[in-house]
Amino acid sequence: SGRTAWARLRGASPADLDGSRVGSLRATPLVLLPRARLATWSALSARDDDGPATLTTRAQRVVDHLAAHGASFFDDLLAGTRLLQTELEDALAECVARGRVHCDSFAGLRALLLPPSKRPATSARQGRRRPLFGIADAGRWSLTRRDAGHVAGHVAGAGAAGAHAGPAAAPDGDALEHVARTLLRRYGVVGWRVLEREAPWLPPWRSLLRTYHRLEARGDVRGGRFIAGLAGEQFALPEAIGALRGMRNRAPTGELVDLSAIDPLNLTGTLLAGPRVPRLAGARVLWRDGIAIAMRVAGTVELLQDLDAGVEQAARHVLQREPYRTPLPPPASALPDTGASSPP
């Protein structure tokens, strides 16, 4: 329905584009966010080298047409830019990778990622229904908004320990509160160490700290010490405190939880001790009772804890996505105390 938008917030630099339309797009990180907040996040992530001079001539013609005529369908862009269809597709792909253009629907992104040779041909049979995969069926293309009204002033670079590098301009109070609440919804508990895994263009911690103090005074969040061993002030959602207490009082079960390394819970090397697992597509982290015990990067499994033979075998099977039907026994501390000399 258009309430959720996809976009490339921070445009890739010219050196990041390899000249291949599909290759560059497949390596382009995209975000999903409410369309009403697209301008806020675009302004937060804007940088100086996103200007028109960094675009090729064809991509600049697309941007100029959209700036003059507003959101346009693919056929309108063809007529307005006087480009061939393949040239226009390449120009749109470059604009998407640069964070300058997005589309109303996901069909436009799918069409740019799918080579023409793999797109379904139009059926000659009358009345046969076919999915609309063509780029002409993708809806309107429009410029990504970068509203200067969402940012004001300037900030200096972060120098103190725990400070988070921000953009060239400081966001206003509404944008700061939106970022602060978004981080709380993502993690439940927020401290300055949590920001180490976030984008470097987010507002610095000292700016977010004033916002969290204001939210705490209004009773929206709780301040205190919720994570042992984490220095600095911490802030949590009220519902997150109950979840933390419940987890602390729950007995270990030995259950293995396999997560993508891109998941926000991948905090190894920051909040948690041990090597840092790179946030790459395909990398995995294996958890047991809240402790990271193994990881898989580039197809290689590496143990993060000393495990017995049974648990190690199960961990390798889970990380390699292989079938493994033998259930793991729960830890000794999780077995009921029956007074018997051996567990039941």
Side-chain angles (χ1 to χ4, degrees):
S1 61
R3 295 185 58 130
T4 301
W6 65 267
R8 169 71 162 128
L9 285 184
R10 195 168 178 82
S13 63
D16 297 333
L17 302 178
D18 58 4
S20 171
R21 173 171 63 88
V22 176
S24 59
L25 269 187
R26 289 191 184 279
T28 298
L30 302 174
V31 297
L32 302 176
L33 72 169
R35 187 174 296 275
R37 286 295 183 176
L38 182 58
T40 299
W41 288 100
S42 298
L44 285 169
S45 61
R47 63 185 184 187
D48 296 336
D49 60 347
D50 282 340
T54 62
L55 297 175
T56 62
T57 304
R58 293 170 181 171
Q60 187 61 47
R61 289 167 68 175
V62 173
V63 170
D64 293 340
H65 178 88
L66 293 176
H69 300 88
S72 304
F73 292 97
F74 187 80
D75 294 337
D76 298 331
L77 289 174
L78 275 177
T81 60
R82 299 181 181 275
L83 296 174
L84 299 177
Q85 179 169 338
T86 55
E87 294 176 338
L88 181 55
E89 290 183 15
D90 290 340
L92 286 173
E94 180 186 347
C95 291
V96 170
R98 293 302 316 233
R100 303 296 302 275
V101 169
H102 65 101
C103 185
D104 285 343
S105 68
F106 284 93
L109 182 60
R110 294 190 186 102
L112 292 178
L113 288 173
L114 197 63
S117 59
K118 295 185 178 181
R119 296 176 189 173
T122 304
S123 175
R125 294 175 54 185
Q126 297 295 328
R128 183 175 179 179
R129 301 178 63 183
R130 66 178 182 88
L132 301 179
F133 289 107
I135 195 168
D137 308 314
R140 299 175 305 169
W141 296 86
S142 56
L143 295 176
T144 302
R145 288 182 55 197
R146 281 180 167 79
D147 190 352
H150 286 267
V151 291
H154 298 276
V155 295
H164 199 58
D172 59 14
D174 179 69
L176 275 175
E177 183 171 336
H178 179 69
V179 173
R181 291 184 180 274
T182 300
L183 292 172
L184 278 174
R185 286 195 300 270
R186 170 172 290 187
Y187 294 104
V189 180
V190 175
W192 69 266
R193 289 290 300 276
V194 173
L195 292 185
E196 290 186 5
R197 278 300 182 101
E198 290 296 327
W201 42 261
L202 282 182
W205 173 247
R206 60 177 178 272
S207 299
L208 292 174
L209 188 60
R210 292 192 292 267
T211 303
Y212 283 127
H213 284 158
R214 185 168 63 252
L215 294 176
E216 182 184 10
R218 283 158 42 182
D220 294 342
V221 303
R222 297 277 299 276
R225 294 290 186 270
F226 308 104
I227 303 176
L230 180 61
E233 296 185 72
Q234 303 170 30
F235 302 89
L237 294 173
E239 55 268 27
I241 299 176
L244 287 173
R245 289 172 178 168
M247 183 63 67
R248 180 184 59 186
N249 299 327
R250 193 177 73 177
T253 63
E255 179 185 4
L256 298 180
V257 179
D258 178 28
L259 288 179
S260 169
I262 305 178
D263 194 286
L265 281 178
N266 177 17
L267 296 172
T268 57
T270 53
L271 263 67
L272 304 177
R276 177 172 297 193
V277 182
R279 301 181 68 175
L280 301 174
R284 312 291 301 180
V285 185
L286 189 64
W287 302 80
R288 188 186 190 204
D289 296 325
I291 299 176
I293 62 172
M295 66 177 181
R296 188 191 72 184
V297 180
T300 302
V301 176
E302 180 181 345
L303 299 180
L304 304 178
Q305 301 285 335
D306 293 331
L307 307 175
D308 56 44
V311 177
E312 179 181 348
Q313 182 183 10
R316 293 185 181 276
H317 277 275
V318 172
L319 285 175
Q320 296 291 357
R321 302 297 182 90
E322 298 174 352
Y324 189 77
R325 299 184 178 276
T326 303
L328 285 175
S333 59
L335 294 174
D337 186 8
T338 60
S341 57
S342 61

